[in-house]
Amino acid sequence: MLQRILWSLVLLLQCQSRDRWTTQLSQHLCQSEDQVISATRTLANSGFHKDLTTNLELDEIPRAFLLENTTSHFYMDIDQIKEGLFLGYPPVFPDDPIDVEQPADSSPAHIVGVLCETHHVTLPVHHRYQPAGSQPYSSVCIPFPRVFIPVVTPEDYSDLELGIEQVEVERGCKLLRAPCGVNSFPECGWEEVAVVGVQEVCSSVPVGLTQDLPIVQISALAAVFIGFSAIVYVMFCRKEKSKAT
C-alpha cells in the first residue's frame, strides 16, 4: 500500500496526469509520410493474468513508443512492471495512478505509454472482475496501440524543445512529446506511423452468474455473523477469566 501511495506521488510530481496523453491525442499529430510498419500481437496464458506480446517490424528504426488503451476490462500493474525491468519488461508511463482493485464496471480506461527499445515487447496485463451475468464467460478485447517513431532526439538536437518546435512549425502538426528513455524526462518528439496487419486481441474471462448471487450473499452474511460471534465469545471468555483471577 505504501509503495502505491509513493508511486502516485511520483506521478503527480512528474505532472503525469491524464492530460499527458489524452490532451496530446486530441491534437493534430504528425503522421509519418514514408514509413509503414507491420506488426503482430498475441494475448497468452489462461485465467485472469495474461502476457501481452507485440512484435513490430521496425527495420532500421531504433525504437518506438506505444500508447496502449487498456480499456476498462484490463489493467497493468505498474509496480509489477517496474520491478520486472530486469526481466525485460519495457519502461511504462501511465496516464495516472491505476487502481488494480476496481471491477470493470467502475474502472475508467487508462492510456499507458510504452517505450519499445526492441522489436519484441511483452507486458503482463490482468483482467478486471466483470459484473455478474447470465453466461459463465465474457469475451473482452484490447485494441492495438497507436505507434510512434522518433523524429527529434538528443542525438540530433542539443535543445529538444527547440527542435520539437521547429519541426512542428515546418510540418504544421504536433509531435507527440514522450520520454526518450527510462525516465519521464527529457521528452523527445515522436511522429505517428501507420501499422498494417494488426487487429485487437481478445480473451475470455470468467463471470459470476446472476442466479448464484443469493447464495453468495447469504454465505457472505453467514461468514460475517460467525466471525463476529466468535470474536464476541472470545472477548467474553477473556473478561470472565480476568474476573476469576
Side-chain angles (χ1 to χ4, degrees), residues 130-149:
Q130 300 291 313
S134 58
Q135 299 297 323
Y137 291 92
S138 175
S139 179
V140 293
C141 304
I142 297 182
F144 197 83
R146 296 177 68 168
V147 181
F148 298 81
I149 57 177

Side-chain angles (χ1 to χ4, degrees), residues 20 30 41 43-44 69 93 110 113-114 117 138 143 163 173 192 214 243:
R20 183 176 198 185
C30 296
R41 184 103 139 161
L43 193 60
N69 183 347
F93 307 90
H110 288 278
V114 181
E117 298 185 286
S138 175
C173 54
E192 189 166 12
K243 287 181 179 179

Side-chain angles (χ1 to χ4, degrees), residues 54-73:
T54 305
N55 296 292
L56 302 170
E57 295 183 12
L58 298 174
D59 297 327
E60 301 302 319
I61 302 172
R63 57 189 179 274
F65 195 86
L66 313 182
L67 287 182
E68 293 274 6
N69 183 347
T70 64
T71 75
S72 62
H73 301 293

Side-chain angles (χ1 to χ4, degrees), residues 78-142:
I78 303 303
D79 291 330
Q80 176 190 10
I81 296 172
K82 286 170 62 69
E83 292 169 0
L85 289 177
F86 70 96
L87 297 175
Y89 292 155
V92 293
F93 307 90
D95 51 5
D96 61 357
I98 297 175
D99 186 345
V100 302
E101 304 295 339
Q102 278 188 311
D105 58 351
S106 62
S107 173
H110 288 278
I111 299 176
V112 179
V114 181
L115 179 63
C116 303
E117 298 185 286
T118 66
H119 297 183
H120 174 91
V121 175
T122 297
L123 281 168
V125 297
H126 311 276
H127 282 293
R128 292 190 184 275
Y129 290 107
Q130 300 291 313
S134 58
Q135 299 297 323
Y137 291 92
S138 175
S139 179
V140 293
C141 304
I142 297 182

Side-chain angles (χ1 to χ4, degrees), residues 165-185:
E165 292 176 357
Q166 289 175 345
V167 172
E168 289 179 338
V169 170
E170 293 171 1
R171 297 179 58 175
C173 54
K174 292 290 186 180
L175 294 176
L176 181 78
R177 285 168 164 78
C180 303
V182 297
N183 297 317
S184 291
F185 298 96

Side-chain angles (χ1 to χ4, degrees), residues 15 21 39 64 87 142 144 157 160 165 172 212 222 230 237 243:
C15 299
W21 304 132
L87 297 175
I142 297 182
F144 197 83
Y157 294 85
L160 289 173
E165 292 176 357
D212 294 336
C237 291
K243 287 181 179 179

